[in-house]
Amino acid sequence: MTDKKISMDDKSSAENVEQHLGQLEKAEVTREQLYYSQEQPFSSDELARLINEERLNKLMAQSDEFLKSLNGEIGDFDEGDINSDR
């Protein structure tokens, strides 16, 4: 009889944990829905006002330079592999 009671208590505990986890998941979904419902898109005028175009252009030029140098390094690396087989 005590074995039955222990297994019933275990099952009850497991059910309680499962129920609690389900409630946490529902709360998280609700929190995400609330968060995303508060997002508002920017108009093009607002974006133009917020973006520092000069700084953005400098950053883009730097990234272009970086990618060019990276491509050169990759090319040199590939050529090194070809020459090392000979």
Side-chain angles (χ1 to χ4, degrees), residues 6 8 22 25-26 29 36-37 46-47 50 62 69 75 80-82:
I6 290 171
M8 286 176 59
E25 185 177 341
K26 286 179 186 176
V29 167
Y36 288 115
S37 70
E46 288 172 314
L47 286 176
L50 295 173
Q62 288 175 353
S69 69
D81 287 344
I82 292 170

Side-chain angles (χ1 to χ4, degrees), residues 38-82:
Q38 294 176 353
E39 288 185 0
Q40 297 179 9
F42 287 101
S43 71
S44 58
D45 291 338
E46 288 172 314
L47 286 176
R49 186 172 43 88
L50 295 173
I51 293 174
N52 181 340
E53 192 172 345
E54 182 181 341
R55 179 68 179 136
L56 180 61
N57 288 333
K58 286 180 183 178
L59 289 171
M60 290 174 65
Q62 288 175 353
S63 67
D64 288 345
E65 290 173 20
F66 171 75
L67 290 175
K68 285 178 186 174
S69 69
L70 187 61
N71 283 333
E73 292 293 326
I74 291 172
D76 292 345
F77 180 78
D78 288 342
E79 289 173 7
D81 287 344
I82 292 170

Side-chain angles (χ1 to χ4, degrees), residues 19-33:
Q19 181 182 5
H20 180 69
L21 291 175
Q23 290 172 345
L24 289 175
E25 185 177 341
K26 286 179 186 176
E28 180 65 23
V29 167
T30 302
R31 195 172 14 252
E32 284 181 13
Q33 288 174 342

